[in-house]
Amino acid sequence: MLWSATARLSAYPSPLHLPVFNQSLTVFGKSKPSRVRCSHSRAMETNDDTSKAKGLSFDDFLSKKPYSPPTWASHLKPIPSHVLSLAHLPTPIHKWNLPNLPQNTEVWLKRDDLSGMQLSGNKVRKLEFLLAEAVAQGADCIITIGGIQSNHCRATAVAAKYLNLDSYLILRTSKLLVDKDPGLTGNLLVERFMGAHIQLISKEEYAKIGSVALTNVLKEQLLKEGRRPYVIPVGGSNSLGTWGYIEAMREIEEQLQIRSNREFKSGVHFGEAWSGGTIAGLSLGSWLGALKAKVHAFCVCDDPDYFYDFVQDLIDGLQAGVNARDIVSIINAKGLGYAINTSEELKFVKEVAAATGVILDPVYSGKAAYGMMKDMAENPKKWEGRKVLFVHTGGLLGLFDKVDQMAPLVGNWQRMDVNESIPRKEGIGKMF
């Protein structure tokens, strides 16, 4: 996601050495010194060293606390009553040394891929609100649905197990594989380690029945067995889940130290529009909060019109009183299709990792960054002099499903050649 703003980013405590932003700020992304959302006594908001140290502890991890929204979101309804502490927040921001940037352009990275939950990324922020409601309702198991390598389903399985809840995952796969063991690749490995109950559905059946009906079928089955299921929609994207990224905007504001009277000259580019909840929360939070910026989002499945309608439903569910097309611009970036990559896209992901140490996921952030860098190369004047914040929303485990495509791009290995002149003695090299 991307926004432009005349803003100042004040000096940040080590290890984040962020510069002073005294010119137009552009933000790209998908996507509290310790948890700014629940209390104004958190580490970022005090100069007391003892409070900072306490705020950075994990004493509140997995705890459920009353939720207080940002003041600019206090008119939204309904406001969640509680939130669970699941993510490791705030996620850091650091400079991203991408090669071949336009003149005087800087790119900074918001690391929501480091939010915890076994490499979860952005999904944890939504689960903090959704699972708080599940616990409040006395649920003993969680149902959710997604693709065979769904980051959201994996995050849900992990979070549920932390809370001593069973998880039931409906995973979409090809009709050729629906009757076979799904394997242990990527997200599936974590889900199956966590003991998640996996049910496979073919893409063709999914398309005919829909996610809502499928989760309702499983819910009815579990109710008949005496269970108390709580259903989470695809990607955790409903009006309650949207609060996760409304809250993320408060975190970004705190980190950037943006003043409410600043002028924002252009929009925000955001690199994920699969389930819509992240986009809805970021765009609504940006619009209502200090940024006052319009979000420009990449959709990686379906089409922009579908997501405009979906985001509108989410913000209407919060009685926000705004038009989705006023706060977000959605750009088609699905390429060959959802979770399908060209060789150029995968080569880009590999080159970024080799150049910067940052691994993008192939489904969301990889396509977003690819689109951003392509536009920079084709329209450098548009980017010259800008400071860009790219919000990395995670998904590393999705790369494990692309190993066959990636293998030809990664050939940097060879047998080590040790000259015969090097002394050798049996047993000198201990192997423990």
Side-chain angles (χ1 to χ4, degrees), residues 66-80:
Y67 177 68
S68 298
T71 55
W72 41 259
S74 60
H75 66 289
L76 300 178
K77 297 177 182 178
I79 293 173

Side-chain angles (χ1 to χ4, degrees), residues 121-141:
N122 64 324
K123 309 304 181 182
V124 183
R125 292 187 186 268
K126 304 174 191 179
L127 290 171
E128 291 195 315
F129 291 92
L130 294 163
L131 290 180
E133 182 176 78
V135 170
Q137 292 181 3
D140 66 2
C141 59

Side-chain angles (χ1 to χ4, degrees), residues 118-119 148-150 153-155 157-158 169 171 181-196 198 397-398 400-401:
Q118 277 68 36
L119 306 177
I148 192 68
Q149 283 294 330
S150 168
C153 288
R154 178 252 304 141
V158 175
L169 311 179
L171 301 181
D181 188 309
L184 296 172
T185 299
N187 290 302
L188 282 164
L189 175 64
V190 177
E191 292 160 357
R192 299 180 76 176
F193 264 38
M194 295 292 163
I198 294 175
L397 287 173
F400 288 83
D401 199 42

